[in-house]
Amino acid sequence: MAVGIFDSGLGGLTVLDAVVKRLPDTPLVYFGDNAHAPYGVRDADDIYDLTTQGVQALFDQGCDLVILACNTASAAALRRMQEGWVPRDKRVLGVFVPLIEALTERKWGDNSPPRPVAVETVALFATPATVSSRAFQRELAFRAIGVDVEAQPCAGVVDAIEMGDMILADALVRSHVESLMRRMPKPQAAILGCTHYPLVEEVFRDALGPDVAVYSQPDLVAEALADYLARHPDKVGPGTVSKFLTTGDAKSVSNKATQFLRRRIEFEAAPAR
């Protein structure tokens, strides 16, 4: 298989959908750790342990390249995984990189000193664990100066989406946007720092208003993946059929995934470890 996509639950399907549209001939293996979702309220060690287990399952499926389509895992586990866990012949990439590339309008390989960028005020909406990690601010500071980031931990949004309660998700999003805008009334840009959030992106846009540029990850990640595979064709494996694995109830997860993507998605139980 060419590419594995890992997420704590259903949010990574937004990335998978964008990748399918951008790279329709690339076989994918999706792993949703639905039994342990959400990750956003867990501590860093717990997130690391669960993420490495899921990524190992994707390695076992033949994936040489895995995308952590989960901001919480990217924030809390990716660096530690890359420094001491990922085998030399495998690659694990996160979802912050394409986002910060777009926000700062500079390529990730540009190692020049940080400099002022066009955007000066940024609203970050993310899970509590992602917000507390400050990973987004840390990576942004390597490339930009003079950017004021106001972060809002969006407790409950992922849970509501995973339950399929979009009315509750809508209400929670509006409440979190209102809370942030009391502290930062006029952000120039808003970062949807969780791959579940594109499923309620229109609610964010409506609550933020037309003057706020909203950065959502799926299309940015898909484009970055296409660029990466063009430069690393050895990571494109011989697989031909995509697969969907879950640690949760396969029938229930399949039904929710089908509802979100509006096309039939059939999950199967992930192999026991």
Side-chain angles (χ1 to χ4, degrees), residues 71 74-76 79 95-104 108 119 121-126 129-144 147-151 189-193 215 217:
N71 286 270
S74 294
R79 179 169 292 190
V95 286
F96 280 138
V97 173
L99 194 62
I100 294 176
E101 283 181 344
L103 186 67
T104 61
W108 200 250
V119 176
T121 53
V122 175
L124 170 65
F125 297 95
T130 297
V131 170
S132 64
S133 76
R134 294 190 60 82
F136 176 81
Q137 291 92 323
R138 183 176 61 247
E139 298 293 349
L140 180 62
F142 290 143
R143 286 149 187 87
V147 181
D148 181 16
V149 178
E150 187 68 46
I191 303 299
L192 303 189
Y215 289 79
Q217 292 172 314

Side-chain angles (χ1 to χ4, degrees), residues 13 15 60 98-99 102 124 135 141 183 185 187 193 205 236 246 273:
L13 290 173
V15 172
D60 294 344
L99 194 62
L124 170 65
R183 306 190 304 274
R205 289 183 180 276
V236 180
T246 179
R273 295 192 58 78

Side-chain angles (χ1 to χ4, degrees), residues 6 16 20 29 57-58 64 66 82-83 94 121 127 134 155 164 167 169 172 209 254 256 266 270-271:
F6 171 86
L16 177 135
V20 168
V29 183
L58 288 167
D64 292 331
V66 174
Q82 290 174 330
E83 289 175 349
T121 53
T127 66
R134 294 190 60 82
I167 295 175
L172 287 168
S254 297
K256 290 176 182 176
E266 291 289 349

